[in-house]
Amino acid sequence: MISQIQTDQAIVITFHTDLNFETCRSLEKTIKDLSKAIESAQRVVLNLSEVEFIDSTGISLLIKWLYPYKDKNLSAEGVSENIVTLFEICKMDQFLKIA
């Protein structure tokens, strides 16, 4: 459901599923395991090109996970227009660059 590619300066995390109530519980452990890799990375990219839907549980999961790293170079790529709007409403665009 999540894959990662890590280089010396960046980590690219690709989500292969929607982020909703049904999937978030199973994603939590994987996300916690990725936290150590994020700490050492200079740049973190979330590839959301396969994500069609995010509900409030998914937003909560992303905020809890990413907000502590707000001083890192965080970005999201492949984001649909609906999810961009959702991120803006939730003010995630204040710490997550949306490309």
Side-chain angles (χ1 to χ4, degrees), residues 17-21 50-56 80 83 86:
T17 185
D18 291 341
L19 301 173
N20 57 40
F21 180 77
E50 296 180 37
V51 177
E52 295 179 13
F53 178 75
I54 299 177
D55 69 7
S56 60
S80 71
I83 295 174
L86 180 62

Side-chain angles (χ1 to χ4, degrees), residues 30-95:
T30 305
I31 285 175
K32 286 180 184 177
D33 293 343
L34 290 172
S35 293
K36 290 181 182 178
I38 290 175
E39 288 175 12
S40 63
Q42 293 179 3
R43 183 169 181 246
V44 179
V45 178
L46 300 180
N47 178 351
L48 301 175
S49 60
E50 296 180 37
V51 177
E52 295 179 13
F53 178 75
I54 299 177
D55 69 7
S56 60
T57 309
I59 291 292
S60 175
L61 178 72
L62 290 174
I63 290 172
K64 287 179 195 175
W65 175 44
L66 295 173
Y67 190 75
Y69 306 108
K70 66 181 182 282
D71 296 329
K72 296 246 181 215
N73 185 355
L74 300 172
S75 64
E77 297 179 351
V79 185
S80 71
E81 286 185 39
N82 291 337
I83 295 174
V84 168
T85 302
L86 180 62
F87 283 179
E88 290 171 349
I89 290 169
C90 297
K91 305 292 185 198
M92 288 182 63
D93 58 338
Q94 293 179 359
F95 66 90

